[in-house]
Amino acid sequence: MQKAADKLRTIQVDLNAPKNLENKFGNYKYRSAEGILEALKPFLHAVDAILTISDEIVEVGGRVYVKATATFTHAGESISTTAFAREAESKKGMDDAQVTGACSSYARKYALNGLFCIDDTKDADATETHGKDNSDQSKATSQKSDGMMDKIIESFKIQKSLEDLNAKMEKARNTPYGKEPLVVAAYSECASVFIK
């Protein structure tokens, strides 16, 4: 797998996938899966590799998730990452197919982020402030919450079974951090270990 890993590492180091889209309501910039793919195509061509992305609908703890898998293939060797996004039971103004499609796009974006080492920690998805409150009090609260979110995320990593992990996630949902994208992503990553 060394050849594929070397080619993937080359792309990870050189790839620039800018946040070229803007949410005017939330006043933040973001990137989409489509933007990442557009930035990747010349690199994939240059190293003679292919990228495939697939989705699977899975149920975890009674909730429906889209599991996206991004696979980098070079010279017959493949490296994959997965990401999960939970379908909302309903979303105003969207039919069921649109909800699933939006969930798929979100999961694919994070699978690509994982595979190509694209950092989204400063993205509005990670903070959920959407530019609405920039006060010192908000910043202090955010800094305090980082420690709690880290503890929740670390607690996911030490669970021995999917049932234990689901129980930890249920406890996390009862905190202000249970719906934070970083917490949900960490839960999804840990759950993927138990779901094969």
Side-chain angles (χ1 to χ4, degrees):
M1 185 160 327
Q2 191 59 36
K3 287 181 183 179
D6 288 343
K7 299 298 183 180
L8 179 58
R9 183 175 30 256
T10 298
I11 294 173
Q12 290 172 338
V13 169
D14 294 334
L15 179 66
N16 180 16
K19 295 178 184 178
N20 58 349
L21 300 172
E22 184 174 350
N23 181 309
K24 294 191 187 295
F25 175 76
N27 194 29
Y28 62 87
K29 291 190 172 276
Y30 64 99
R31 70 176 60 87
S32 65
E34 293 83 2
I36 295 169
L37 291 171
E38 185 178 328
L40 275 170
K41 286 178 182 180
F43 289 98
L44 293 168
H45 181 73
V47 300
D48 195 29
I50 61 169
L51 173 70
T52 57
I53 307 173
S54 62
D55 291 336
E56 179 183 352
I57 304 298
V58 296
E59 184 179 341
V60 179
R63 295 182 183 260
V64 177
Y65 288 80
V66 174
K67 174 185 174 184
T69 303
T71 304
F72 175 87
T73 304
H74 171 75
E77 300 172 347
S78 296
I79 301 170
S80 297
T81 59
T82 59
F84 290 77
R86 183 171 60 90
E87 284 196 359
E89 294 196 17
S90 68
K91 188 146 180 140
K92 190 174 182 175
M94 291 181 141
D95 65 24
D96 290 346
Q98 289 172 314
V99 170
T100 301
C103 194
S104 169
S105 293
Y106 194 83
R108 286 171 173 231
K109 173 183 165 180
Y110 284 97
L112 290 167
N113 284 358
L115 186 60
F116 293 100
C117 295
I118 301 168
D119 187 7
D120 258 359
T121 57
K122 295 192 183 345
D123 204 345
D125 280 350
T127 62
E128 280 200 27
T129 61
H130 300 288
K132 292 182 181 175
D133 186 4
N134 291 325
S135 68
D136 290 336
Q137 182 178 5
S138 174
K139 290 176 188 171
T141 302
S142 176
Q143 288 171 349
K144 288 179 186 174
S145 71
D146 288 348
M148 181 56 140
M149 283 196 329
D150 289 344
K151 288 178 185 175
I152 292 170
I153 291 168
E154 287 304 312
S155 76
F156 291 163
K157 294 177 182 178
I158 61 172
Q159 299 311 306
K160 303 285 187 218
S161 69
L162 183 58
E163 293 77 24
D164 293 343
L165 179 63
N166 287 339
K168 281 291 182 189
M169 186 58 182
E170 276 306 312
K171 287 182 181 179
R173 283 190 186 107
N174 294 324
T175 72
Y177 317 109
K179 293 183 180 178
E180 288 288 330
L182 290 174
V183 171
V184 174
Y187 167 77
S188 297
E189 184 178 327
C190 292
S192 70
V193 171
F194 298 110
I195 301 171
K196 297 287 178 187

